[in-house]
């Protein structure tokens, strides 16, 4: 699945200044509850396909108060990745409808990656509310927000390029009228 590959690559590419200090030898010296460290450990568990452990780390982040400037961004990433696990039933109970609802709330708060997840969900044959027009609309909304992907961070560029591939695939399946409806829907998500 493209989304799984992309989410893993986002984790591998994202720079975290304290991540190297999450090594076991440093945990005795650091506050174990550091949000950045928790995210890194969740990511490491995810990469090793120990999804329930990854989910535990990311759930912990969501319950931890913000102490440092970057904590809000890390909390947003933890929510997005935990929701991805929920959508796919990886290490947590699968609930696609709840995951989609969460991503829609994240979009309302300015979440960028959630738009890609919504595009993937609405184009997923296993999602009971599958709707290729909405899927295309969610992907198109990414381009409305950022017409030029070069203005994005490396991890967000990956999201942008994934959306570009999916738009091409979906447009081949949809009529021009459906594509027009998708663009109208994309504008309504702004």
């Amino acid at each position: 699945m493209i989304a799984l590959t992309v989410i893993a690559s986002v984790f591998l590419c994202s720079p975290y200044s304290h991540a190297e200090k999450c090594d076991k030898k440093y945990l005795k010296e650091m506050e174990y509850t550091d949000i950045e460290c928790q995210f890194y450990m969740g990511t490491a568990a995810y990469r090793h396909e120990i999804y329930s452990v990854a989910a535990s780390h990311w759930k912990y982040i969501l319950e931890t108060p913000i102490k440092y400037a970057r904590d809000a961004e890390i909390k947003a990433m933890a929510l997005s990745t935990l929701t991805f696990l929920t959508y796919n039933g990886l290490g947590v109970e699968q609930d696609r409808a709840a995951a989609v609802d969460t991503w829609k709330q994240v979009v309302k708060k300015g979440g960028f990656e959630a738009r890609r997840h919504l595009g993937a969900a609405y184009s997923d044959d296993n999602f009971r509310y599958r709707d290729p027009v909405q899927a295309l609309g969610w992907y198109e909304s990414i381009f409305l927000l950022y017409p030029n992907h070069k203005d994005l961070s490396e991890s967000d560029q990956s999201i942008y390029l994934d959306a570009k591939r999916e738009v091409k695939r979906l447009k081949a399946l949809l009529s021009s009228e459906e594509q027009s409806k998708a663009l109208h829907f994309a504008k309504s998500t702004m």
Side-chain angles (χ1 to χ4, degrees):
M1 172 187 254
I2 291 174
L4 186 58
T5 304
V6 171
I7 200 167
S9 70
V10 168
F11 294 145
L12 294 172
C13 296
S14 298
Y16 297 102
S17 60
H18 292 83
E20 67 277 358
K21 292 184 179 178
C22 293
D23 188 293
K24 286 181 185 176
K25 70 181 182 178
Y26 290 105
L27 286 176
K28 294 176 188 136
E29 301 168 18
M30 285 185 65
E31 180 181 347
Y32 180 72
T33 59
D34 178 69
I35 286 178
E36 197 164 22
C37 188
Q38 289 289 330
F39 189 83
Y40 172 76
M41 290 187 294
T43 301
Y46 178 88
R47 281 187 274 168
H48 288 93
E49 298 179 7
I50 309 169
Y51 302 119
S52 60
V53 172
S56 294
H57 285 291
W58 294 330
K59 284 178 184 177
Y60 185 87
I61 290 168
L62 297 177
E63 297 167 359
T64 302
I66 293 175
K67 288 198 233 176
Y68 305 105
R70 183 131 189 254
D71 288 356
E73 179 185 343
I74 295 169
K75 279 183 156 236
M77 289 188 298
L79 177 59
S80 182
T81 53
L82 183 59
T83 303
F84 178 83
L85 295 181
T86 301
Y87 184 86
N88 291 292
L90 300 171
V92 296
E93 185 177 338
Q94 185 176 48
D95 190 338
R96 289 189 170 119
V100 166
D101 288 342
T102 300
W103 282 324
K104 286 178 180 178
Q105 294 304 311
V106 171
V107 164
K108 288 179 183 176
K109 295 177 182 176
F112 178 69
E113 183 180 20
R115 291 175 182 276
R116 187 214 30 222
H117 289 307
L118 286 164
Y122 279 101
S123 63
D124 181 359
D125 289 334
N126 296 311
F127 183 47
R128 68 178 161 189
Y129 303 111
R130 183 181 180 277
D131 182 344
V133 172
Q134 276 196 48
L136 179 58
W138 282 113
Y139 287 124
E140 290 281 11
S141 73
I142 291 170
F143 309 132
L144 293 174
L145 278 175
Y146 295 99
N148 185 354
H149 73 87
K150 293 177 181 163
D151 296 335
L152 298 170
S153 69
E154 184 178 335
S155 61
D156 285 348
Q157 283 186 30
S158 154
I159 293 165
Y160 187 98
L161 294 174
D162 181 49
K164 192 173 180 179
R165 282 188 299 276
E166 288 301 304
V167 162
K168 184 177 180 181
R169 182 184 69 77
L170 287 167
K171 281 186 172 181
L173 302 173
L174 299 174
S175 69
S176 59
E177 182 182 331
E178 290 171 316
Q179 291 177 38
S180 180
K181 286 180 182 178
L183 187 56
H184 179 73
F185 174 74
K187 291 175 183 176
S188 76
T189 69
M190 304 318 253

